[in-house]
Amino acid sequence: MRRYGPVVALCAVQFVDVLGVTSAITAIPAMLTGVSASPRATPVVATVYAMFFGGLLVFGARLGDRYGHRRVLLAGIVSFGVVSVVGATAQEVVQLVTSRALQGAAAAVSVPSALRLLLDAARGDADGGDTRRRAAIAAWSATGAAAGALGLLVGGALTDVFGWRAVFWVNVPVALLLVVAVRALVPRSRTQVDATRLDPVGAVLMIAAVMALILGASLAEDAHRRAPGGVLVAVGLALGAAFVATQRRARDPLVPRAALADANLRTGTVVSFVNTATTSSAGVLATLLMQQRLGVSAVGAGLALLPFSLSVVLGSALSTPLGARLAPRPLAALGLGGIAAGNVVLAATSGSVAGIVAGVAVAGTGLGIASVAATAVGTDVPDALGGSATGLLNTSAQLGTALGVAGLLVVAAAAGTATAWAVGAAVCGLTAAALLTRAGRGAPVAG
């Protein structure tokens, strides 16, 4: 238990944070009815968690560097439980939205530190350290996929049996159990605390940039809101440019300059972005096609996409033996090739539910392999950059989901769903080719 206990406890943190996203989504209609809110509030309730989660990930990672990852993780878990009470007792929509926002913020504080502590716990001796690290990262990825698969079912079951408030109340005892597990099983990080001060200007700019990009991309998914969504995306890009400019001048930048210069971290963030941009969009397009054109119910569409998450677990498990034979970049290229193949199957069989099931299963297996490889290469950095690496990798994945879904929905509206899937396949294929080309030259991919 001493050997595997920390990995189990930290993967449980990942499970709860991901489950909190998907389980709440299925309860949104009941939530809005319960607080007498208009259905027009649905987009805000659905996206506010992702906005705060994506926006605060890098800042949360820096908090771990500054004050200790175990201490920050425990604070994040406690906060997640406390703000869940705010949601469970909500009487109007502002309180409900506030709770979801604070849940996202608490998760953003927890996840980077949990991943950093996981990598520390998996660091072993020279004989078994690499194998243990690959297995721990695979467990982390598989846990997230399993939570994503179960979240919709758990949220629906809790809402049907106990009411929507149970989706929030269940987090209170779970948070208490996680606190006990982390305190009992997870040692403090071996990395020396970073005494440099935090960068408040950089933090505000990055948080605002990521939030604007996520909200703008979400609005752009709706044809009637595409114009304001595009404006917000442009604002987010401008804020991102301002963030980069301030980081070059800051005495203690939010993202250390060495992190921006690290080729492994750049490669990991590019692959993480492409992973989620091409698979999240594939799932959304499949859901819309099944419900709007094939007459499949919402529950039926969810069940048809269940093989995707299960295949991610399979791909994550396969990454351990494959990683013993392949370096991380070729392994990432293999996974991206699997995602591309899945998108090709989807494009070729877009009028068939069976084709969709087969396509998402292939893409999910590729995602499991590619996500483990991206995390492995992206966190293969000096210890001083470990916290920043975990924050940037997770932020890249969140932005990939938001921008990928929005972008390919626009392509689907203009040229058809099959074309959008083909574009996703092409993006994966080109990224895989770049990885293999650079690996063949002995140079890493730089984003």
Side-chain angles (χ1 to χ4, degrees):
M1 189 63 179
R2 180 179 298 176
R3 180 174 179 179
Y4 298 106
V7 173
V8 172
L10 293 165
C11 284
V13 174
Q14 160 87 328
F15 184 89
V16 170
D17 285 332
V18 174
L19 193 76
V21 181
T22 53
S23 63
I25 288 174
T26 55
I28 286 176
M31 289 178 185
L32 295 179
T33 300
V35 297
S36 302
S38 167
R40 288 180 295 180
T42 297
V44 176
V45 178
T47 59
V48 70
Y49 184 106
M51 287 171 55
F52 278 77
F53 180 57
L56 288 165
L57 277 164
V58 173
F59 185 67
R62 290 292 290 138
L63 287 176
D65 288 339
R66 181 68 178 82
Y67 297 106
H69 290 288
R70 185 171 178 269
R71 179 183 301 171
V72 169
L73 172 59
L74 288 168
I77 294 170
V78 171
S79 299
F80 193 85
V82 170
V83 300
S84 293
V85 176
V86 176
T89 58
Q91 299 300 319
E92 40 85 28
V93 71
V94 173
Q95 185 177 347
L96 182 66
V97 171
T98 300
S99 174
R100 290 293 289 159
L102 293 177
Q103 279 187 318
V109 170
S110 303
V111 168
S113 287
L115 179 54
R116 181 55 200 263
L117 290 166
L118 179 89
L119 296 172
D120 282 348
R123 186 185 303 169
D125 54 29
D127 294 330
D130 288 344
T131 300
R132 289 174 59 186
R133 187 173 186 271
R134 285 195 298 269
I137 294 173
W140 176 270
S141 298
T143 299
L150 293 174
L152 298 176
L153 300 177
V154 170
L158 286 173
T159 302
D160 288 344
V161 177
F162 301 106
W164 65 269
R165 297 181 189 276
V167 175
F168 289 95
W169 279 123
V170 72
N171 293 319
V172 178
V174 169
L176 291 174
L177 290 174
L178 287 177
V179 167
V180 172
V182 170
R183 288 182 61 88
L185 300 173
V186 179
R188 289 180 174 82
S189 176
R190 304 174 188 178
T191 306
Q192 186 175 0
V193 171
D194 186 351
T196 58
R197 69 182 182 87
L198 297 174
D199 175 17
V201 174
V204 169
L205 284 172
M206 185 169 195
I207 291 166
V210 174
M211 286 185 175
L213 286 169
I214 291 175
L215 180 58
S218 176
L219 292 176
E221 295 170 18
D222 184 347
H224 300 293
R225 299 179 176 179
R226 201 152 285 162
V231 171
L232 275 175
V233 169
V235 170
L237 292 174
L239 290 170
F243 169 75
V244 172
T246 61
Q247 293 301 281
R248 292 175 177 172
R249 298 192 302 268
R251 179 179 177 182
D252 296 310
L254 180 69
V255 179
R257 294 182 183 89
L260 297 176
D262 191 279
N264 281 350
L265 181 51
R266 294 202 305 271
T267 298
T269 54
V270 169
V271 177
S272 293
F273 181 91
V274 173
N275 284 347
T276 56
T278 53
T279 54
S280 297
S281 57
V284 170
L285 289 169
T287 299
L288 294 175
L289 186 145
M290 283 189 288
Q291 294 186 61
Q292 295 176 358
R293 286 175 46 191
L294 302 181
V296 179
S297 67
V299 174
L303 291 174
L305 293 179
L306 186 60
F308 173 76
S309 294
L310 299 179
S311 295
V312 176
V313 176
L314 173 63
S316 299
L318 289 174
S319 68
T320 299
L322 289 171
R325 296 171 174 81
L326 296 173
R329 287 177 180 80
L331 184 64
L334 176 64
L336 288 168
I339 297 172
N343 275 272
V344 169
V345 172
L346 289 167
T349 62
S350 59
S352 163
V353 173
I356 289 173
V357 172
V360 298
V362 173
T365 304
L367 176 61
I369 296 170
S371 62
V372 171
T375 303
V377 69
T379 56
D380 186 13
V381 297
D383 282 348
L385 302 180
S388 296
T390 58
L392 288 169
L393 287 171
N394 281 287
T395 300
S396 180
Q398 289 295 310
L399 288 175
T401 296
L403 298 179
V405 170
L408 290 190
L409 280 177
V410 172
V411 172
T417 302
T419 301
W421 278 322
V423 170
V427 170
C428 283
L430 291 171
T431 307
L435 285 166
L436 292 174
T437 300
R438 294 298 184 92
R441 294 175 181 173
V445 171

